Amino acid sequence: MIKVLDHGFVDLVDSMPKICDGLPPSMTRPGDQRIVDAARVSIAGEDVRPTSDDEKLIRYLIKNQHGTPLEKVVFEFDCKMPIFVARQWIRHRIGSFNEMSARYGKLPDDFYIPSIERLLMGGQAKLNKQGSAEAPFGEALAAQFAKSIALHSESSYRLYEGLLGNGVARELARVVLPVNIYTRWFWTVNLRALFNFLGLRLHEHAQWESRQYAEAVLQLAAPLAPYAFKAWRETL
Ligand SMILES: Cc1cc2nc3c(=O)[nH]c(=O)nc-3n(C[C@H](O)[C@H](O)[C@H](O)COP(=O)(O)OP(=O)(O)OC[C@H]3O[C@@H](n4cnc5c(N)ncnc54)[C@H](O)[C@@H]3O)c2cc1C
């Protein structure tokens, strides 16, 4: 499990193929093996394979966008992230999500409070209108902002609990909660869609908080198919 932000995490809970017991996945390369097996089935009997070498075959597939063998490698992640990160993440339609329900259960009082360092690089960017840049305020003000965000989060949670305590349904009481509250889901994704996700969410144009999750996903997934990840990096 990799911790992300102040209360979040990403954990790789399952994969297809499975990680073999005893040996590190980077040695057994089960994902790479699955990719070449799938690719060789599709070209069996034809002399179109550029090379019999696994690494070269994988590089050939990825460079030439022969994506379906990559779909044979599947990951299951357990992730906890603030709702504003989840909003961006769930736009990735090729994959499957099962999220905790704030209708069935009460949300825990975990809120993302940006660090002072994050706030100091969290001024409104002028060129990239979606992005952050060096802040026009200093450390003292950043500390005050962090405190205000925490106080605001606590106060919204008190209101939430008050509504619940007075019989308001969970599905309705949650409307007072801000998007920095954490949610949690299981995410099933194949390697082809994962590369698409990583290409977009590791990019410097992606929001910093989402990039932290993409970095954790990358760290957990890459050892399963090191040749594929190397070849994918070469395409960036
Ligand atoms: C930096 C950044 C800024 C963004 N800003 C905005 C924004 O301002 N507003 C906004 O609405 N979104 C925004 N997005 C979300 C973005 O538009 C995509 O919805 C998101 O990145 C998912 O990408 P995707 O469609 O490639 O992924 P997936 O949905 O996982 O799809 C993977 C691939 O499958 C194929 N595919 C999937 N569905 C279809 C389909 N219906 N038809 C054809 N092909 C399909 C495509 O090849 C696609 O690349 C932003 C994303 C990023 C990274």
Side-chain angles (χ1 to χ4, degrees):
M1 182 197 282
I2 297 180
K3 290 190 168 192
V4 188
L5 306 182
D6 48 0
H7 299 293
F9 61 77
V10 177
D11 194 10
L12 177 61
V13 290
D14 205 355
S15 67
M16 187 183 84
K18 294 221 176 284
I19 295 172
C20 312
D21 283 341
L23 284 170
S26 54
M27 277 180 74
T28 53
R29 302 183 292 98
D32 288 335
Q33 192 56 51
R34 184 62 59 92
I35 294 166
V36 293
D37 288 349
R40 284 182 177 138
V41 149
S42 77
I43 57 175
E46 292 177 36
D47 194 20
V48 292
R49 204 168 69 211
T51 168
S52 60
D53 179 78
D54 286 357
E55 186 172 6
K56 283 188 183 154
L57 174 56
I58 289 174
R59 189 178 295 125
Y60 174 85
L61 293 169
I62 291 177
K63 190 171 163 214
N64 293 287
Q65 296 181 28
H66 293 311
T68 49
L70 305 180
E71 296 169 19
K72 301 291 183 281
V73 181
V74 180
F75 302 89
E76 174 86 9
F77 294 100
D78 179 4
C79 318
K80 182 179 169 191
M81 75 297 279
I83 282 181
F84 70 92
V85 171
R87 272 289 279 113
Q88 298 181 341
W89 198 327
I90 208 161
R91 295 299 306 279
H92 294 264
R93 295 157 290 180
I94 311 300
S96 168
F97 297 87
N98 280 98
E99 185 175 6
M100 65 188 284
S101 169
R103 298 178 71 202
Y104 279 101
K106 181 178 160 191
L107 285 175
D109 62 340
D110 289 334
F111 291 91
Y112 168 58
I113 311 299
S115 64
I116 292 172
E117 294 72 33
R118 168 59 176 129
L119 283 161
L120 287 173
M121 61 169 196
Q124 177 55 54
K126 299 223 162 31
L127 283 177
N128 173 6
K129 291 197 167 49
Q130 292 198 68
S132 309
E134 199 178 323
F137 45 83
E139 210 169 317
L141 214 46
Q144 208 174 306
F145 292 156
K147 208 170 160 190
S148 302
I149 295 169
L151 283 172
H152 179 74
S153 305
E154 283 160 25
S155 133
S156 73
Y157 200 78
R158 272 199 304 277
L159 175 56
Y160 173 62
E161 285 192 307
L163 293 169
L164 292 177
N166 282 287
V168 177
R170 286 183 288 270
E171 66 175 5
L172 198 54
R174 64 178 169 173
V175 301
V176 299
L177 295 170
V179 291
N180 64 336
I181 197 163
Y182 276 80
T183 185
R184 182 177 175 181
W185 62 36
F186 284 97
W187 181 43
T188 314
V189 62
N190 70 50
L191 185 56
R192 186 181 193 176
L194 189 74
F195 280 156
N196 182 61
F197 169 85
L198 290 174
L200 291 165
R201 299 300 172 184
L202 288 171
H203 193 276
E204 61 179 16
H205 286 171
Q207 179 157 355
W208 182 84
E209 283 79 5
S210 288
R211 287 209 309 268
Q212 307 315 299
Y213 282 90
E215 289 286 355
V217 165
L218 173 66
Q219 261 192 62
L220 291 166
L224 206 75
Y227 289 168
F229 275 84
K230 189 172 163 212
W232 165 73
R233 279 184 186 283
E234 287 167 10
T235 65
L236 296 178

